[in-house]
Amino acid sequence: MSATPLTVLGIESSCDDTAAAVLRGPEVLSSVVHGQTALHAEFGGVVPEIAARAHVEKLDVAVQTALEAAGLRLDQMDAIAVTAGPGLIGGVLSGVMLAKGLAAASGVPLVGVNHLAGHALTPRFTDGLAFPYLMLLVSGGHCQFLRVESAERFHRLGGTIDDAPGEAFDKTAKLLGLPQPGGPAVEAEAQAGDAKRFAFPRPLLDRAGCDMSFSGLKTALLRARDAVVAEHGGLRPQDRADLCAGFQAAVCDVLVEKSRRALADCSDLTGFAVAGGVAANGAVRAGLQGLAEAEGLPFVAPPLRFCTDNAAMIAWAGQEAFAAGQRADMTLAARPRWPLDDRQPALLGSGKKGAKA
Ligand code: KG4
Ligand code: ZN
């Protein structure tokens, strides 16, 4: 990284958050996020066309607000960094087109950023974490272990083969009549629940490696719910709490055990970091922190606003890429899929919130 900190505008629109931010080195001068939760609420998931239209409406507003809050003009930026994938293509395209327009009009260089690299590099600007570290990226659309070796080199050790955990939390909430996003609602219910009442599976723990699966857990929850409803004619508050506690404990156990294996596969790590909305879960955080402590490694969980989708992480990843000499031009493409580690086989399937990688 150069001696003078770079000032970079970041733009993010790959899922259901329209975001812009300005970073100078690791300092966040501004970070604006317009969420779309209300727009998608009645559909039980993100509707790509609605998301893309909302991004088009909000992107220029977000950029203007971010620049004003930073007290800077566009021509004072060293670079404009934009998420070029992976994600819902309409949203990614909206961001890329805007960034190209801004770059063409101002002459500021353009950098295309991988959204997953944004998440994976976040502990560098929030906590100054040095390479190499292990990152567990765990959100509504992603779930993977990455050994982050440099700003351009990510080794994927494993990940979900079906649903992401956030998606499973959201489906659980839906099945139990709780509001979206499901994670916080399920966590709140679980506080009063008995995690041992229902015996939920711990998928793939019997298989070596760090791959995970969460879709069977959802089916197990559906069966357990139906059995209770058949017996009692409905769900009582304690039933709901026990189902949530049992589900959450199963997710925690899988994440902690697979993290243990991922850590065992790595050497010389500077720390174990998490990012993504599910990292907000107190039980998940506590489990992972306990593991890191047992392994004698620093545990880094960035503040929640930088764990979930945001543009500060894009501006930071853009700085690292720019410092390494990367430049995009008007041919920069929007990519629905863009695995961070292209030495690994591509992931199949795409989550409710977009392509996983
Ligand atoms: O990272 P994020 O904001 O968006 C992407 O998926 O990219 O993550 C959102 C996901 C949702 O599925 C939400 O239910 C989950 O994170 N989540 C939680 C909690 N807070 C948010 N899951 C479990 N416990 C929580 N406290
Ligand atoms: Zn994300």
Side-chain angles (χ1 to χ4, degrees), residues 12 14-15 115-116 119 137 139 141-142 276 307-310 313:
E12 157 64 35
S14 65
C15 187
H115 176 87
L116 301 173
H119 279 302
L137 183 51
S139 70
H142 326 290
C307 264
T308 53
D309 285 351
N310 66 88
M313 68 181 192

Side-chain angles (χ1 to χ4, degrees), residues 90-140:
V92 180
L93 255 178
S94 312
V96 168
M97 297 306 285
L98 176 80
K100 282 184 186 174
L102 293 175
S106 64
V108 174
L110 181 65
V111 181
V113 169
N114 182 309
H115 176 87
L116 301 173
H119 279 302
L121 296 171
T122 296
R124 310 240 321 128
F125 77 89
T126 59
D127 292 81
L129 195 60
F131 300 121
Y133 54 88
L134 182 71
M135 158 64 62
L136 168 58
L137 183 51
V138 63
S139 70

Side-chain angles (χ1 to χ4, degrees), residues 139-142 166-167 169-170 181-184 187 276-278 280-281 308-309 353:
S139 70
H142 326 290
E167 217 173 331
F169 268 100
D170 294 340
E187 180 175 16
V278 180
N281 186 284
T308 53
D309 285 351
K353 301 192 80 184

